[in-house]
Amino acid sequence: MRWEELTGDIFPKAIEEAEGVCLLPLSCIERHGHHLPLGTDMYIGRALCDRAAALEPAIVFPDLVFTQILEARHVPGCIGIEPELILRLLENACREIARNGLKKIAIVNAHGGNDDLIHYFARTQLASPRDYVVYVTDPSYKLERELENGPRWDTKVDGHAGECETSAILAVRPDLVRAEALRPDEEGLPLGRLKALRDLGVDLGIWWYADHPTHYRGDGSFGGAEKGELWLSACAGALARAVRAIKDDGESGRLQAEFFAKTRRPE
Ligand SMILES: [Zn+2]
C-alpha cells in the first residue's frame, strides 16, 4: 500500500492491515554511469518496498530522496543536501509517520552512501522519548535461502550502475536504460588512488571519488532483466520476513519506554 495512493478515508483501515508498520524507502538522486537514470536507487527502493508490502502488508512512505550523497556533487544531476538537514528531515519524517498512527518505522535503504547514516540515525532515537520505534532493515540480509532461486552474477566487481543495478532497472524501468551508452572499457574498475591507506583500514570521505570519479563501479553490460527480477524477488522476500518479525516485536517498544523512564532519573 503506497501512502500517496491511499485516500484519507481508507488510511486508518490501511494502518490496521499494515499492523502499524511503515516502510521508509531511502535513496538519492545521483549519476549512475553513462546508461542508468539519476533516480536508479529511487526506482530500486520503490520496487523493493512495493514487492515486500505485497508479501507482507505495510504502508510504503513516499520516496525519500534527500539523503547523503555529497560525494557526487561534482557530476551533473546530483541533489546533495546539507548533512544537518538530512538528519532533521529523517527525524521529521519519522515523527509525521508516527503522528499518523504508524508506530513501527522500517527504514529500507537503497543507496550505499547512506549505510553509516542510517545506523547512526538509529542510535539518535535514544536522544529523546518517543512513542514509536525505528528499525533499520537490510533487504539483502541472509539471502541464501531465497538465492537458491536467485541470480548467478557474472561479474566480480560491482556496486554502482554495474551488473546488479542495471539488471534491476532493466526489470522495473527498461525504458530508462540507455544500453547504447555502455562503453567497452574498464571505467567501472576502481582506480585505487588511495589504496595504500584503505588497505590499512583508514577511511576518509574522498575515498569513493578516489576510486570511482565517474560514479560507475562494475560493468552494466552484463545486466539482464531476468537477473534483476530474481534479485528483486529475493531481496523483497528477505524484507517481507523482516517486516513480519517487526510486526511480532513488542519488546523493542517496551524496552525503549523503560529506558526513557530510567533516563529521567538514572540509578
Ligand atoms: Zn545506486
Side-chain angles (χ1 to χ4, degrees):
M1 296 173 280
R2 298 200 60 86
W3 184 302
E4 68 273 20
E5 293 178 2
L6 298 166
T7 63
D9 285 354
I10 62 174
F11 197 85
K13 181 91 186 77
I15 293 177
E16 264 176 51
E17 209 183 315
E19 296 177 54
V21 174
C22 182
L23 302 184
L24 174 52
L26 298 190
S27 54
C28 70
I29 304 296
E30 66 160 323
R31 178 185 174 86
H32 275 75
H34 297 284
H35 63 294
L36 293 185
L38 296 165
T40 289
D41 294 351
M42 183 191 79
Y43 291 113
I44 292 175
R46 188 183 291 179
L48 281 175
C49 287
D50 288 349
R51 285 164 189 237
L55 297 169
E56 187 62 56
I59 292 181
V60 181
F61 195 76
D63 309 299
L64 208 164
V65 298
F66 301 123
T67 66
Q68 195 299 116
I69 184 55
L70 295 173
E71 63 271 31
R73 289 171 78 219
H74 63 297
V75 282
C78 171
I79 303 176
I81 300 296
E82 292 171 12
E84 298 81 6
L85 183 56
I86 295 167
L87 279 170
R88 286 194 57 211
L89 187 57
L90 261 176
E91 178 75 7
N92 269 253
C94 289
R95 288 194 182 275
E96 278 301 280
I97 291 168
R99 188 182 63 77
N100 275 287
L102 293 147
K103 304 296 185 186
K104 293 179 170 181
I105 302 167
I107 289 177
V108 181
N109 179 39
H111 166 53
N114 285 336
D115 287 347
D116 295 325
L117 170 78
I118 54 177
H119 290 285
Y120 175 66
F121 181 65
R123 303 301 179 273
T124 68
Q125 297 308 298
L126 302 183
S128 59
R130 60 204 62 211
D131 65 347
Y132 59 91
V133 179
V134 170
Y135 303 81
V136 176
T137 68
D138 180 356
S140 61
Y141 184 67
K142 290 192 177 164
L143 274 178
E144 316 84 61
R145 229 173 78 186
E146 279 96 348
L147 278 183
E148 281 169 32
N149 299 315
R152 294 286 164 263
W153 301 116
D154 293 305
T155 53
K156 293 244 179 317
V157 175
D158 196 0
H160 197 77
E163 184 181 8
C164 180
E165 286 190 324
T166 302
S167 297
I169 297 299
L170 282 170
V172 297
R173 286 299 303 268
D175 55 311
L176 298 180
V177 179
R178 294 188 62 234
E180 71 280 7
L182 282 161
R183 299 173 183 177
D185 57 22
E186 300 195 330
E187 183 183 334
L189 295 180
L191 296 178
R193 292 186 288 184
L194 294 173
K195 194 172 182 306
L197 283 169
R198 301 271 299 159
D199 283 352
L200 291 170
V202 178
D203 184 27
L204 62 176
I206 200 70
W207 85 266
W208 179 263
Y209 176 83
D211 269 354
H212 306 288
T214 61
H215 279 249
Y216 184 32
R217 178 183 171 88
D219 188 343
S221 63
F222 285 88
E226 197 183 334
K227 290 180 200 172
E229 266 304 326
L230 290 170
W231 181 73
L232 286 167
S233 300
C235 292
L239 182 55
R241 283 208 312 279
V243 171
R244 183 64 254 168
I246 288 169
K247 286 178 179 177
D248 293 339
D249 170 49
E251 191 67 347
S252 304
R254 189 190 70 75
L255 288 171
Q256 209 172 269
E258 179 186 289
F259 170 80
F260 287 127
K262 288 185 177 179
T263 60
R264 280 193 283 274
R265 192 174 173 184
E267 288 165 3

